């Protein structure tokens, strides 16, 4: 009787080890599948970002309206003699650090 009980315990332990133990247990495989789904979603998001950046690059290189908007916003360019650019300086900044723009 004791021998059968011991044999049943060993078989049960072996069965549990086969299902749950080792390097690729059931829980580990479930975590890997979850991680794989997260990575696939991240890849899709990054691919959309890449596509939008490619479109923006194309527009910056070829669209004069986009180029003008960037020049106005980033560099303070004005169009012709009819526009005046006003720059407001933060009162807390050192006035000697502000250089005069033509």
């Amino acid at each position: 009787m004791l021998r059968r009980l011991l044999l049943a315990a060993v078989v049960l332990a072996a069965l549990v080890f086969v299902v749950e133990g080792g390097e690729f247990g059931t829980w580990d495989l479930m975590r890997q599948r979850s991680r794989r789904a997260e990575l696939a979603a991240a890849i899709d998001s990054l691919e959309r970002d890449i596509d939008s950046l490619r479109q923006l690059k194309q527009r910056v290189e070829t669209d004069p309206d986009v180029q003008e908007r960037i020049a106005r916003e980033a560099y303070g360019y004005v169009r012709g003699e009819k526009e005046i650019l006003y720059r407001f300086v933060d009162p807390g900044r050192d006035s000697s650090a502000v250089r005069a723009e033509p």
Side-chain angles (χ1 to χ4, degrees):
M1 181 70 174
L2 182 61
R3 194 175 219 176
R4 282 186 170 176
L5 190 58
L6 186 60
L7 181 63
V10 168
V11 169
L12 183 62
L15 188 62
V16 168
F17 180 76
V18 166
V19 172
E20 294 298 328
E23 186 175 351
F24 298 108
T26 304
W27 292 110
D28 186 47
L29 289 175
M30 289 172 44
R31 279 192 299 268
Q32 288 179 5
R33 285 186 183 134
S34 173
R35 180 72 176 141
R36 183 178 181 177
E38 290 172 5
L39 291 174
I43 288 170
D44 288 342
S45 174
L46 290 172
E47 285 176 347
R48 283 192 302 272
D49 289 346
I50 289 170
D51 289 341
S52 66
L53 288 172
R54 281 188 181 135
Q55 290 174 358
L56 178 62
K57 177 186 173 194
Q58 179 67 25
R59 288 181 22 226
V60 167
E61 290 175 345
T62 58
D63 189 356
D65 292 333
V66 173
Q67 294 168 353
E68 180 181 346
R69 181 181 52 84
I70 291 172
R72 288 171 172 271
E73 290 175 2
Y75 303 110
Y77 285 16
V78 294
R79 185 186 302 166
E81 301 276 329
K82 295 182 179 183
E83 293 183 4
I84 299 173
L85 175 66
Y86 293 96
R87 291 188 186 242
F88 297 96
V89 179
D90 184 12
R93 284 182 61 189
D94 183 16
S95 62
S96 64
V98 178
R99 63 184 175 115
E101 297 279 332

